[in-house]
Amino acid sequence: MKITRFDNGQVGLVVDDRIVDVSDLLDSDVHAWPPVAMNRLIADFARFRPALEAAAQRPGVPLSSVTLRTPVPAASKVIAYPINYHDHGIEMGRDLRATNLGFFLKPPSSLCGAGDDIVLPDLPERRIDHECELAIVIGTRCRDVKREDWASVIFGYSCLMDIVVRGKEERVARKAYDSFCPVGPWIVTADELGDPNALRGQLWVNDELRQDANTRDLVLDIPGMIEVASHIMTLEPGDIIACGTPAGVGPIRNGDRVRIEFERIGGMTMKVVQSDGGRASIFIPPAP
Ligand code: MN
């Protein structure tokens, strides 16, 4: 099953090239704030599933006629593993890997979806990069998950870009801007995707292929990422794990079109736009 949000927060199933509004089947107001309808759907998915499967027969509307939003805007946290492919560690000149570094957090306010733009802050003197990552969406509240039990806590998978201002300032600040965490275009449920441990992911800027890698080359693999994060924090339904980027990170600029694609998930193309806001004093001048 492919599931996401669209337009004003409606929840939809993606069936071929159609989207079917299933908001009426949920016990949440999809327009309410905070936007937790997807968290609640994920937490209670077994109960909703039969009705959702039946709804796939509804006519729906063409996917191209709606604006896709990020699937889980109220994730309680986005857990991101840095330096988790050797080739990216080498290109960044870093010795340590995610197996020692663990993770950092991106704020849920940085999430955006396939129909949104990546909005650059007004920092023309700074390099702002794309990173192509697989997103894991947690399905079950869990703590201290054993490595061999990793699959039992996953709801599904999506594409994720970890956008970053390069520099020496605190990593979280450099990665926290609004729109710096595109996730989408939808979540593919774990049962439909199958084994995520050998999944090809690619990213293009305009028509140039910048990143092309496979999750089999992750340093800390998916079971390991679940194990580490859940031994530190309770993971909640809808929490997102960004698996780390391979080599090929590079700058994005106003007017670029960035496309991310994972096999068995799909892809999304997003526009990069320049804003005149976001000129935080910590970035000017750059930290020495
Ligand atoms: Mn990253």
Side-chain angles (χ1 to χ4, degrees), residues 66-254:
V66 304
T67 303
L68 294 179
R69 306 298 182 190
T70 201
V72 195
S76 81
K77 48 198 171 293
V78 179
I79 301 156
Y81 283 87
I83 321 283
N84 205 12
Y85 286 86
H86 286 300
D87 59 1
H88 176 59
I90 291 164
E91 77 178 348
M92 299 302 286
R94 297 281 298 275
D95 295 328
L96 293 176
R97 299 290 181 262
T99 35
N100 294 107
L101 293 167
F103 56 83
F104 62 97
L105 298 175
K106 283 174 81 88
S109 51
S110 65
L111 290 164
C112 68
D116 300 316
D117 295 331
I118 298 169
V119 181
L120 301 180
D122 180 25
L123 297 171
E125 55 280 87
R126 302 297 294 266
R127 178 172 147 178
I128 299 176
D129 277 6
H130 58 78
E131 296 186 349
C132 171
E133 312 201 9
L134 177 69
I136 300 169
V137 181
I138 297 296
T140 307
R141 177 175 293 165
C142 58
R143 187 76 211 267
D144 290 339
V145 179
K146 293 192 187 72
R147 188 181 156 78
E148 58 268 30
D149 296 331
W150 67 276
S152 66
V153 305
I154 295 180
F155 176 70
Y157 302 90
S158 191
C159 305
L160 183 150
M161 297 185 212
D162 180 14
I163 309 293
V164 54
V165 178
R166 292 292 174 207
K168 292 181 179 169
E169 298 84 4
E170 178 60 47
R171 178 190 270 125
V172 169
R174 292 184 289 104
K175 295 193 170 213
Y177 276 102
D178 290 359
S179 84
F180 270 25
C181 195
V183 173
W186 41 68
I187 300 168
V188 177
T189 51
D191 61 309
E192 181 168 314
L193 182 120
D195 182 11
N197 295 295
L199 210 56
R200 185 184 190 186
Q202 295 166 286
L203 184 144
W204 296 257
V205 176
N206 303 320
D207 293 318
E208 179 192 352
L209 179 63
R210 293 264 186 95
Q211 300 190 268
D212 187 356
N214 193 294
T215 56
R216 75 167 79 88
D217 296 317
L218 284 163
V219 181
L220 180 63
D221 63 6
I222 291 171
M225 285 188 267
I226 299 280
E227 181 185 40
V228 168
S230 72
H231 276 73
I232 295 175
M233 302 177 293
T234 298
L235 306 186
E236 302 283 356
D239 281 359
I240 295 168
I241 298 180
C243 293
T245 187
V249 301
I252 51 175
R253 299 185 181 89
N254 186 32

Side-chain angles (χ1 to χ4, degrees), residues 44-58:
D44 213 2
F45 188 63
R47 179 164 70 86
F48 289 114
R49 182 168 197 141
L52 294 172
E53 285 174 345
Q57 304 304 318
R58 294 179 180 178

